[in-house]
Amino acid sequence: MKKLPWLLLILLICNHQLIAQSTETKTPEFLKYEHHKWVDSIMETLSPDERISQLIMVAAYSNRGEEHRQEILKLIREQKIGGLIFFQGGPVRQVRLMNEYQAASKVPLLGAIDAEWGLGMRLDTTISYPFQMTLGAIQDESLIYDMGAEVARQIKRTGLHLNFAPVLDVNNNPNNPVINFRSFGEDKYNVTSKSIAYMRGMQDNSLLTTAKHFPGHGDTDTDSHYALPQINHDRARLDSLELYPFREVVKAGIGGVMVAHLDIPALDSTGVPSTLSRPIITNLLKEELGFKGLTVTDAMNMKGVTDGNEPGVVDKDAILAGNDLLEFTEDVPKAIAEIRKAINQGLISQEEIDRRCRKILAVKYWVGLKDFEPTSLENIIEELNTPDANLLNRKLTEASLTVLKNKLNILPLRQLSNLRIASVSIGAEEVTPFQKTLSLYTGIEHFNLKNDASPEEITVVKAKLLDYNLVIAGIHDDSKFPRNTIKMTAEVQEFLRELIEQKVTLVSLFKNPYVMDKLQNIEDATGLILTYQDSRNAQELAAQVIFGGVGATGKLPVSVGEKFKAGEGLPVQGGIRLSYTLPEEVGMDSGILNKRIDSLMQQAINAKAIPGGEVLAARKGKVFFHKAYGEHVYHDTLKVKKEDLYDLASVTKISASMAALMKLHDAGKFELDQTLASHLPSFRRSNKADIPYHDILTHQAGFKPWIPFWKNTRRKNGSYRWFTIKKDSSAKYPIKITEEMYLHRNYPDKIVKEIRKSPVSGEKKYVYSDFFFILAPRVVESMTEPDFADYLQQNFYDPLGATTLGFNPEFPKDRIVPTENDYKFRREPIHGTVHDEGAIMLGGVSGHAGLFSNANDLAKLLQMYLNKGEYGGERYLSAGTIEKFTKRTFPDSDNHRALGFDKPNYNEEGISRNTAQDASLASYGHTGFTGIMVWMDPEEDLLYIFLSNRVAPTRDNSRLYRLNTRTNIHQVIYDAILD
């Protein structure tokens, strides 16, 4: 007990030290080099005027001509300027120019850029990351650090060293015309923490940063590019709000601070711009806040500082106020002369100029200019636009998405079969990426309304929307910058108001959040998603939030009138349906995928193994690769599109028959020890009456592989037998084969009879057979009310949102890929109807063939299998049933099959005959005669779909098998796995 006071004392001391440590100001790293021998050596070579020149940075452009280039070179050679700030242009041109400018300079030049949201702010063919207000909604600040690190890498790759970012202004004025979306928001703590994360990401990667616009440009409705804004708050308010982020970021060790052009009477009553104010720069920033880093002016060509001030003279005044670096000096010789005059007049000492020059040189040492080498141009575009950099961009957008309304938890949407959905994109004249992504999830009718749509156009859309019970409205921006403006006419705004009032409406606002205050009753929408800006990423990801492909975690960084307060945001679950992303998000190498899959597909097309095809791959429930290749048929002008439908051939077995049977198994109606006789009375006295389903589904029942049923309709002379096929349809001949071929209504029964009477081998060995799957619809219908096709639609395809998955597709033919030119049975090219003769004789609906689908819709069903029976928040099949039916049924035999599903099949040397060598033993799938392959691997949570029409124009084309294209591509996907 006697020791307790000592322990308490130790704890108090430690706690005090922690507090002191947390409030201690971190000195910028570069300052340790102010008296480095390299800095000393450079200083010795500089004349007094050249030391002044080191404080000057002029504007450079890589999109201007030879006159500009010569002008910059002259300033470098004659005036010995210290640095350049690059504005508009392109990365290749900029690097080429910067290399030339560095070669012309006596002292390495400090290269800067104003890249608040990355290089894309200034340079073409580079990445623009989200604006700071968008980032203000993000809750995971490690993403913002990562963005800082990536921005640093990219800027350095272009030969530059300093970024004039981040923006620390607290935007609490919705009418701010110059900061607004460039601010992290209105909450000083949010602004501060995100600024520090962004700054550390850059500075930890050797890029100097500047906090701007000191002492705070957020609460003004004047743009300092055109006039001098005035901020009339008292000192207490400025201390508690505007100055707070700057104070904290100085403590955190930021390298630079940029001073704004502002009139702030509470800080300097003289009315001079803050850039020229000694009380603001020297007294407040340097002495009171303790900032020792690089103090930079905002651009010295802006009207906020130039009005009433002469070029050169204004630069001198900025130096006298305490700035270390002049940005965008317009008259360099005059500025040097004026600063020299001030030294001679005793207004500032040469020693002070030298001290600031040393600071500039220390920065140059810290950023690596002591070992300057020309920047390489090789692969620069690729290296600036890496897959990881693009993925980060997507992650930032996803993390910012903010749901402000979610009545009755409508988001993410469920029970799709109960919904009739339309979308309206307002402010867009054609189908948008938002609408295209919505269509990946289910059938949606799309409409567009211009901002100035006529009353007649509005009336037409309103009438069409009456047929739908859910409307998704996208409100788009007409500018790449999300201004607080709205250009919708009063009539269009009234349309939106009525829509929200009268319909279940989900609104996705791709605009500045302040716009919501100008839209009447938008807060009454059933669902409201805010994306902050109208980028492609924002559109695609907002659509995915609606259907649960991704979730939403963002929080509103600003208040919107009385409608919404800063900090609002509702969490929405993601991951319940497929999402669509980049390969790197799921640990895949996009370089391997794109190069090698493209090559293999082109090889197959060139070899005329296939006229075209599609490849889709998903991992962890995320589609990371989906491409279409080639043409519908050889020498066609119709290119394959990702929306096209293919004849799935035998993949129908696992996508129709097995889906139905597994569901009936869950219901206790279909057992594996039952037989055909259990469900089909006509088989009770057949040679198949006692064969259990587990033998039938694994193809060891002794059935014949197939029967060419169509041949039995023909006489030896080629004419059709009586009571088989007629040219016209009738009650007796209702089954359509072609426009001029109709099959007798009883012929399907004849097919069943032939199967029933067919011989059975006495040997219990694996022989692949279609027979049971031809019978499967009748087996299913013996246990269900709806027929086979309707049962599948009601229980699987409709609720999955798989609108193209089904029999006898009713789509335009230019969306359906043709198959064979049938010269034997149908005597015409097969296009839009099933390729398999037996399936078409059964009306196009069979359990062994007949399904059509595009890759995306088929993926929904197969992903449900991978999810162990769950998808979209609904359970379709039990996990136990999925596991039972997809594992190898007889592992101790030569039969490699599961129940209805194929499994990896290895030869004596352990080489897989039918799938990628690296596919796990737990994997399963199927192939189709028309050139289809699907495969699922639960161990890697990997889904692979290959669609082609290798039978066009003839089934005799076996080149696809010989090239082994399908399994080679499958192996590429495994080769691309990084984690």
Side-chain angles (χ1 to χ4, degrees):
M1 293 292 292
K2 291 181 180 179
K3 293 182 178 180
L4 185 59
W6 288 102
L7 290 172
L8 287 172
L9 181 61
I10 291 169
L11 288 171
L12 286 170
I13 292 170
C14 291
N15 189 47
H16 175 76
Q17 288 175 338
L18 286 171
I19 293 170
Q21 199 172 34
S22 66
T23 58
E24 184 179 347
T25 298
K26 183 179 178 182
T27 302
E29 281 190 36
F30 70 82
L31 289 175
K32 70 176 78 168
Y33 300 113
E34 279 185 296
H35 297 283
H36 189 275
K37 59 182 180 181
W38 182 85
V39 174
D40 291 343
S41 68
I42 299 297
M43 285 292 291
E44 290 174 4
T45 68
L46 299 178
S47 69
D49 278 2
E50 288 174 348
R51 295 176 185 185
I52 296 172
S53 296
Q54 285 296 304
L55 313 186
I56 294 175
M57 179 173 278
V58 300
Y61 298 79
S62 55
N63 64 348
R64 295 188 179 179
E66 180 62 18
E67 184 179 348
H68 174 71
R69 172 177 163 273
Q70 291 299 335
E71 178 185 340
I72 298 298
L73 285 169
K74 183 177 181 181
L75 288 171
I76 293 169
R77 289 167 177 155
E78 296 181 5
Q79 304 301 324
K80 308 294 193 296
I81 56 173
L84 300 169
I85 174 172
F86 275 90
F87 287 92
Q88 287 77 17
V92 173
R93 290 164 287 164
Q94 177 179 290
V95 168
R96 189 176 287 121
L97 284 171
M98 190 59 174
N99 285 340
E100 183 180 9
Y101 295 153
Q102 290 283 23
S105 183
K106 176 180 177 180
V107 178
L109 295 162
L110 185 65
I113 193 165
D114 202 351
E116 295 164 21
W117 50 87
L119 286 176
M121 182 173 176
R122 299 298 180 191
L123 304 181
D124 59 33
T125 64
T126 58
I127 295 173
S128 287
Y129 286 103
F131 301 123
Q132 282 192 198
M133 187 170 288
T134 309
L135 302 177
I138 294 175
Q139 301 307 293
D140 179 4
E141 291 178 355
S142 68
L143 286 171
I144 297 172
Y145 177 93
D146 292 343
M147 173 183 154
E150 181 57 31
V151 167
R153 184 191 70 81
Q154 292 178 28
I155 290 176
K156 288 164 60 182
R157 182 64 183 86
T158 62
L160 306 182
H161 323 96
L162 168 60
N163 189 10
F164 289 138
V167 173
L168 269 68
D169 304 314
V170 179
N171 199 86
N172 43 22
N173 187 335
N175 296 317
N176 192 317
V178 64
I179 303 302
N180 204 296
F181 64 87
R182 296 165 63 198
S183 164
F184 284 117
E186 71 176 45
D187 180 84
K188 65 182 181 181
Y189 302 110
N190 191 39
V191 170
T192 300
S193 62
K194 287 179 169 56
S195 296
I196 290 173
Y198 188 17
M199 173 271 288
R200 283 180 173 157
M202 289 187 279
Q203 290 193 176
D204 286 355
N205 291 275
S206 303
L207 183 79
L208 195 67
T209 66
T210 57
K212 64 185 188 184
H213 304 82
F214 184 83
H217 205 320
D219 195 2
T220 175
D221 57 7
T222 302
D223 186 342
S224 54
H225 289 85
Y226 306 107
L228 180 64
Q230 188 175 72
I231 294 179
N232 287 307
H233 299 301
D234 61 25
R235 178 62 193 264
R237 152 62 191 263
L238 294 170
D239 274 341
S240 66
L241 185 61
E242 277 79 6
L243 288 172
Y244 179 84
F246 291 97
R247 185 179 292 114
E248 296 303 311
V249 83
V250 166
K251 290 178 186 175
I254 196 157
V257 171
M258 177 183 284
V259 184
H261 308 309
L262 300 169
D263 176 11
I264 311 175
L267 300 180
D268 187 339
S269 60
T270 65
V272 302
S274 47
T275 337
L276 312 181
S277 169
R278 186 172 181 83
I280 290 175
I281 298 172
T282 299
N283 299 351
L284 175 58
L285 176 61
K286 294 188 171 183
E287 295 175 2
E288 188 175 330
L289 269 61
F291 179 63
K292 296 180 174 60
L294 195 69
T295 306
V296 186
T297 69
D298 206 344
M300 297 301 289
N301 69 328
M302 294 165 62
K303 295 294 184 183
V305 74
T306 60
D307 273 358
N309 293 305
E310 187 182 345
V313 175
V314 74
D315 299 279
K316 175 260 296 181
D317 291 341
I319 291 294
L320 294 180
N323 289 290
D324 301 312
L325 184 63
L326 301 170
E327 182 209 342
F328 212 137
T329 294
E330 291 191 286
D331 189 336
V332 174
K334 181 80 177 289
I336 295 171
E338 289 293 331
I339 295 168
R340 170 55 51 200
K341 187 189 300 183
I343 295 170
N344 295 337
Q345 293 173 344
L347 300 176
I348 188 171
S349 67
Q350 182 67 48
E351 289 75 20
E352 177 61 21
I353 295 295
D354 290 353
R355 191 187 68 78
R356 297 186 197 181
C357 179
R358 281 185 173 274
K359 192 184 290 188
I360 302 289
L361 293 174
V363 169
K364 292 183 178 184
Y365 182 89
W366 181 76
V367 299
L369 281 170
K370 65 183 185 301
D371 302 315
F372 170 75
E373 290 184 4
T375 303
S376 171
L377 284 166
E378 187 176 358
N379 299 322
I380 187 168
I381 300 299
E382 293 80 2
E383 291 176 18
L384 292 175
N385 294 275
T386 65
D388 286 334
N390 283 305
L391 175 60
L392 175 60
N393 202 4
R394 196 170 183 87
K395 283 182 175 180
L396 289 162
T397 300
E398 181 180 336
S400 72
L401 298 175
T402 305
V403 173
L404 294 171
K405 287 291 180 179
N406 191 15
K407 295 178 182 177
L408 302 176
N409 289 318
I410 192 171
L411 297 173
L413 293 175
R414 300 172 191 267
Q415 299 180 335
L416 299 184
S417 52
N418 296 330
L419 299 175
R420 300 184 308 280
I421 309 175
S423 80
V424 183
S425 278
I426 300 173
E429 297 187 27
E430 56 187 28
V431 175
T432 62
F434 177 60
Q435 292 173 306
K436 290 178 181 177
T437 307
L438 291 173
S439 287
L440 292 174
Y441 289 97
T442 191
I444 299 178
E445 191 74 21
H446 300 301
F447 304 97
N448 295 80
L449 271 183
K450 297 178 293 184
N451 282 324
D452 59 351
S454 67
E456 293 77 17
E457 290 170 323
I458 294 171
T459 299
V460 168
V461 171
K462 286 171 68 174
K464 290 181 177 178
L465 292 179
L466 294 174
D467 294 332
Y468 301 92
N469 61 9
L470 174 67
V471 177
I472 301 173
I475 303 175
H476 294 271
D477 214 328
D478 59 351
S479 168
K480 67 177 182 178
F481 299 122
R483 310 287 186 191
N484 183 11
T485 57
I486 192 163
K487 294 185 179 179
M488 281 188 274
T489 62
E491 292 80 6
V492 174
Q493 290 186 54
E494 177 61 16
F495 162 80
L496 179 63
R497 188 195 67 77
E498 289 181 4
L499 187 65
I500 291 170
E501 184 180 273
Q502 298 169 9
K503 286 275 189 183
V504 177
T505 305
L506 307 179
V507 176
S508 189
L509 184 72
F510 302 104
K511 292 177 73 68
N512 188 303
Y514 292 124
V515 165
M516 291 188 291
D517 208 28
K518 301 175 181 179
L519 293 172
Q520 189 177 354
N521 84 325
I522 193 170
E523 68 276 15
D524 295 328
T526 311
L528 177 57
I529 302 170
L530 177 63
T531 72
Y532 304 93
Q533 57 190 93
D534 199 358
S535 66
R536 187 179 190 90
N537 278 343
Q539 291 193 40
E540 292 177 352
L541 289 163
Q544 294 188 46
V545 166
I546 289 172
F547 287 96
V550 300
T553 58
K555 302 285 186 183
L556 188 63
V558 294
S559 296
V560 181
E562 298 301 315
K563 295 183 176 182
F564 300 104
K565 298 301 178 187
E568 289 190 41
L570 303 169
V572 171
Q573 180 186 5
I576 69 167
R577 291 191 178 90
L578 287 169
S579 65
Y580 302 84
T581 187
L582 303 176
E584 279 68 20
E585 183 170 357
V586 289
M588 309 293 291
D589 187 319
S590 58
I592 290 174
L593 291 166
N594 288 306
K595 183 177 180 180
R596 290 174 57 187
I597 294 177
D598 288 359
S599 176
L600 286 166
M601 287 297 288
Q602 195 58 53
Q603 177 194 49
I605 292 168
N606 291 344
K608 289 189 166 46
I610 53 174
E614 280 186 62
V615 177
L616 181 147
R619 192 178 188 212
K620 303 175 184 177
K622 300 174 186 291
V623 175
F624 63 85
F625 189 94
H626 188 189
K627 280 190 177 183
Y629 301 85
E631 302 159 345
H632 277 209
V633 295
Y634 296 109
H635 310 300
D636 194 7
T637 58
L638 194 58
K639 302 293 184 183
V640 176
K641 301 182 295 297
K642 291 191 288 187
E643 298 79 22
D644 288 342
L645 283 73
Y646 280 80
D647 182 334
L648 300 183
S650 285
V651 171
T652 300
K653 294 181 175 73
I654 68 167
S655 304
S657 298
M658 296 315 303
L661 293 173
M662 286 192 288
K663 190 163 190 69
L664 292 167
H665 180 73
D666 274 340
K669 296 180 179 181
F670 179 79
E671 300 296 342
L672 295 171
D673 56 2
Q674 293 176 322
T675 71
L676 283 167
S678 304
H679 300 102
L680 302 179
S682 66
F683 278 77
R684 288 175 185 167
R685 292 182 177 85
S686 74
N687 56 3
K688 303 171 181 66
D690 299 324
I691 303 173
Y693 283 127
H694 53 67
D695 282 343
I696 294 172
L697 290 172
T698 53
H699 300 278
Q700 63 177 33
F703 293 173
K704 288 179 61 176
W706 68 299
I707 296 173
F709 300 107
W710 68 273
K711 290 185 178 180
N712 294 332
T713 65
R714 305 279 291 275
R715 298 187 180 96
K716 290 183 179 180
N717 63 6
S719 63
Y720 295 111
R721 298 180 188 275
W722 191 249
F723 296 127
T724 58
I725 290 174
K726 299 294 184 186
K727 187 173 182 179
D728 297 314
S729 65
S730 65
K732 283 190 176 182
Y733 295 87
I735 302 172
K736 183 178 179 180
I737 306 296
T738 72
E739 294 292 343
E740 296 186 349
M741 290 178 66
Y742 291 86
L743 185 67
H744 194 280
R745 64 190 178 192
N746 293 334
Y747 207 88
D749 293 333
K750 181 176 175 59
I751 290 174
V752 173
K753 185 177 180 180
E754 287 191 60
I755 292 174
R756 187 176 71 247
K757 292 170 61 178
S758 65
V760 173
S761 169
E763 191 177 1
K764 195 173 184 178
K765 69 174 185 178
Y766 169 70
V767 177
Y768 186 81
S769 173
D770 279 347
F771 281 2
F772 168 72
F773 292 95
I774 293 172
L775 302 172
R778 296 188 178 216
V779 172
V780 170
E781 287 164 1
S782 73
M783 297 175 272
T784 64
E785 280 295 325
D787 64 25
F788 182 64
D790 286 344
Y791 181 78
L792 290 163
Q793 289 294 150
Q794 293 170 20
N795 288 280
F796 293 98
Y797 308 154
D798 287 347
L800 285 168
T803 54
T804 65
L805 184 54
F807 299 96
N808 294 318
E810 296 181 1
F811 290 89
K813 282 196 173 182
D814 63 1
R815 282 197 60 189
I816 305 173
V817 177
T819 51
E820 187 173 13
N821 291 341
D822 182 0
Y823 297 112
K824 295 180 179 179
F825 177 41
R826 282 163 276 192
R827 299 172 180 170
E828 68 177 23
I830 303 169
H831 190 185
T833 57
V834 62
H835 173 262
D836 184 90
E837 297 93 346
I840 196 65
M841 295 173 77
L842 293 167
V845 179
S846 179
H848 77 294
L851 269 187
F852 285 74
S853 183
N854 65 24
N856 184 66
D857 281 346
L858 180 58
K860 297 169 187 174
L861 177 74
L862 303 183
Q863 186 63 45
M864 182 269 288
Y865 291 165
L866 267 180
N867 293 350
K868 298 191 181 302
E870 193 170 1
Y871 189 83
E874 299 179 43
R875 179 156 292 283
Y876 294 82
L877 300 168
S878 70
T881 291
I882 294 280
E883 185 177 354
K884 179 191 293 187
F885 277 71
T886 59
K887 70 180 181 181
R888 190 170 172 181
T889 308
F890 300 106
D892 297 327
S893 73
D894 292 335
N895 189 339
H896 69 280
R897 290 269 174 170
L899 295 165
F901 293 86
D902 200 359
K903 298 284 286 181
N905 182 20
Y906 301 98
N907 64 17
E908 294 76 8
E909 287 77 36
I911 306 299
S912 177
R913 294 184 175 101
N914 62 335
T915 186
Q917 187 63 32
D918 288 346
S920 76
L921 291 174
S923 69
Y924 56 92
H926 215 283
T927 55
F929 186 76
T930 52
I932 312 297
M933 179 178 177
V934 302
W935 211 265
M936 292 143 278
D937 191 338
E939 289 193 4
E940 289 291 349
D941 201 357
L942 189 65
L943 166 62
Y944 167 56
I945 296 175
F946 180 99
L947 302 181
S948 78
N949 54 334
R950 67 102 196 160
V951 294
T954 173
R955 70 184 65 195
D956 296 332
N957 181 6
S958 60
R959 295 186 187 97
L960 184 67
Y961 304 144
R962 295 201 300 272
L963 289 172
N964 211 23
T965 303
R966 295 178 292 185
T967 52
N968 287 342
I969 290 175
H970 197 198
Q971 183 59 45
V972 169
I973 293 170
Y974 282 94
D975 292 344
I977 295 175
L978 296 168
D979 55 10

